[in-house]
Amino acid sequence: MTTSADVVIIGGGIMGMSTAYHLAARGCRDVVVLESGEMFGLGSTGLNAGGVRHQFSTAVNIELSKLSIGTMERFADEMGQEVALRRCGYLFLLDSDDDLRRFRGNVELQNQHGVPSEVLSADAIGKLAPEVDLTGIVGGTWCARDGLVDPHGLLQGYISRARTLGVTLETRAPATAIGVDGGRVHRVVTPSGEFETPAVVIAAGPWSAQVGALAGLDLPIQPIRRQIAVTNPMPGLRADFPFVIDFSRALYFHREGAGILTGMSNRHEPPGFDTTVDENWRLTHLENAVARLPMLADADLLAEWAGLYEVTPDDQPILGRLPHADGLFVCAGFSGHGLMHGPAAGLLMAEEILDGRAHTIDIDTLRWGRFANGASAAEFNVV
Ligand SMILES: Cc1cc2nc3c(=O)[nH]c(=O)nc-3n(C[C@H](O)[C@H](O)[C@H](O)COP(=O)(O)OP(=O)(O)OC[C@H]3O[C@@H](n4cnc5c(N)ncnc54)[C@H](O)[C@@H]3O)c2cc1C
């Protein structure tokens, strides 16, 4: 069966759904979202740590955070969905003078963009987070406006509103081919039918390179496994325990329910789609976690899982129209910090498609062409 649509979005995670909602809210309602899974949000969007922060090293990421977190503040009123935004603050722990110097520069940039982040001494960190063992820590940075959001609420808000506005949402509908003819995109094929369309958005998270290959393009986005552990409730854990990141170890903790969620990125993890929990890495992770947060020594694990970061060479997303074919767009490669940027990214994609160019935030530094012309500037605050 062949149907037509103004826009076909491939991928039903936060990027696909935010884009679909923002298109429909602008009046572009003949939109189809294709999701290969049985449900929406079973990719990275359903497996992340829920962190939202302004503390980035590039101006564009700081602006994406400001726009997105502002949206989350108004989400319940505007979208009719609670997202449990909690301002517990993000505390970066730094153990080298080099990192402290880099983060000092990042804080200056964040302050220039109106973000009230600050550099802290080790003494000040000790007062803010007395539960943390500060061995080796020379200083850190803090932003009280950073925190946590409920990923499922955020996604569900976009799904519900997109559906109400008339967007067609299809699960078990993998895109298996993208038709390009005469330099224009014109078709997306699934096992149960085809869609004639002048606009296709690749929003397939860690699978975006595979989807891009359907249109003959080489998107530099790699799937990298990242795993998380959550403890049982921990008596005495204070309600305002912050989101703590031991930067050089890529180790983090935050309060999850009445327990602690912790993750640690294996910087030597090879690219791949394996999402089983790596038992060896779990030992490394938990050993480091207990050393930094000794109260974890008495905790039992409640849950563990692994998901995929969608990583680009400069840890920045790839956004906007692609030069390979008219009508081909990408919104992917957020490199492990995409949940928090989903609200802004969907708005910008709708502008790019409907107005010819994203304008609420300048996304030129995030366009695909930066890799070809050597103009990419890497994000430094990556966990
Ligand atoms: C362990 C972990 C912790 C994280 N922590 C945070 C955090 O604290 N804060 C934060 O902001 N971000 C975090 N992230 C990153 C964040 O989850 C992602 O950046 C974000 O969810 C990406 O959303 P997406 O829509 O691009 O991808 P996804 O949510 O993966 O959605 C892509 C969808 O495309 C579908 N798909 C794939 N191929 C096809 C096809 N051929 N046809 C149709 N559909 C297809 C997939 O099934 C999937 O549902 C974390 C990620 C992980 C793994």
Side-chain angles (χ1 to χ4, degrees):
M1 195 177 80
T2 302
T3 323
S4 70
D6 286 343
V7 183
V8 173
I9 297 169
I10 302 173
I14 191 68
M15 297 306 158
M17 287 303 177
S18 174
T19 302
Y21 162 73
H22 282 100
L23 284 167
R26 293 271 314 266
C28 175
R29 297 182 176 185
D30 188 6
V31 174
V32 176
V33 180
L34 299 176
E35 166 54 48
S36 55
E38 286 180 28
M39 289 165 60
F40 298 107
L42 295 181
S44 303
T45 299
L47 298 170
N48 65 71
V52 301
R53 61 175 155 112
H54 297 83
Q55 294 190 67
F56 283 99
S57 71
T58 63
V60 70
N61 278 339
I62 297 167
E63 288 298 324
L64 288 172
S65 291
K66 281 168 56 186
L67 183 57
S68 285
I69 297 171
T71 303
M72 292 172 198
E73 282 170 352
R74 303 186 304 275
F75 210 80
D77 289 341
E78 292 181 358
M79 305 288 284
Q81 171 74 49
E82 289 294 337
V83 293
L85 180 64
R86 197 149 56 81
R87 307 275 194 181
C88 58
Y90 257 66
L91 175 63
F92 277 91
L93 307 176
L94 305 170
D95 62 6
S96 77
D97 291 335
D98 265 2
D99 281 347
L100 190 54
R101 188 181 43 76
R102 286 294 298 260
F103 270 71
R104 199 180 291 282
N106 295 344
V107 163
E108 275 170 27
L109 180 68
Q110 292 151 17
N111 293 168
Q112 283 161 19
H113 286 260
V115 173
S117 51
E118 55 190 306
V119 177
L120 296 184
S121 66
D123 280 354
I125 294 171
K127 293 194 179 87
L128 193 66
E131 303 88 343
V132 175
D133 183 321
L134 295 179
T135 304
I137 297 302
V138 296
T141 64
W142 164 251
C143 179
R145 295 191 61 72
D146 295 346
L148 293 164
V149 75
D150 169 18
H152 305 286
L154 199 61
L155 181 71
Q156 192 54 48
Y158 287 125
I159 293 175
S160 303
R161 293 286 289 140
R163 187 177 278 131
T164 305
L165 290 170
V167 171
T168 302
L169 304 176
E170 300 211 356
T171 52
R172 296 191 177 97
T176 54
I178 298 174
V180 178
D181 205 7
R184 284 207 61 87
V185 73
H186 67 99
R187 183 189 304 130
V188 178
V189 180
T190 76
S192 54
E194 297 186 5
F195 295 87
E196 287 297 328
T197 181
V200 173
V201 181
I202 300 169
W207 297 270
S208 293
Q210 293 180 340
V211 172
L214 300 177
L217 63 110
D218 185 11
L219 280 177
I221 299 175
Q222 290 190 317
I224 307 278
R225 173 169 58 176
R226 294 290 182 242
Q227 61 196 50
I228 280 178
V230 180
T231 71
N232 275 322
M234 295 176 61
L237 180 64
R238 62 191 163 106
D240 59 349
F241 185 81
F243 197 129
V244 181
I245 299 181
D246 181 340
F247 182 67
S248 73
R249 287 174 185 75
L251 167 69
Y252 58 88
F253 323 94
H254 68 69
R255 191 183 158 113
E256 181 81 0
I260 288 279
L261 178 152
T262 173
M264 182 169 170
S265 301
N266 178 356
R267 295 208 163 111
H268 303 292
E269 180 75 38
F273 289 99
D274 182 5
T275 52
T276 55
V277 171
D278 177 340
E279 302 286 336
N280 290 330
W281 185 250
R282 174 219 262 158
L283 295 178
T284 306
H285 168 200
L286 294 181
E287 196 180 315
N288 279 275
V290 170
R292 200 46 97 195
L293 189 64
M295 63 161 65
L296 284 174
D298 301 325
D300 295 321
L301 288 189
L302 176 69
E304 283 180 283
W305 68 87
L308 300 170
Y309 275 16
E310 65 297 27
V311 178
T312 66
D314 58 7
D315 292 303
Q316 298 265 46
I318 310 177
L319 282 191
R321 66 186 60 251
L322 288 161
H324 310 75
D326 285 349
L328 194 55
F329 300 84
V330 60
C331 179
F334 286 76
S335 304
H337 43 260
L339 178 79
M340 69 183 94
H341 288 166
L347 174 88
L348 295 164
M349 289 306 293
E351 291 177 354
E352 183 88 352
I353 294 165
L354 300 178
D355 305 332
R357 194 170 176 79
H359 45 83
T360 299
I361 293 174
D362 182 345
I363 62 167
D364 280 357
T365 57
L366 303 180
R367 293 184 186 278
W368 176 87
R370 70 183 187 268
F371 300 113
N373 63 26
S376 79
E379 173 56 52
F380 185 69
N381 293 13
V382 178
V383 182

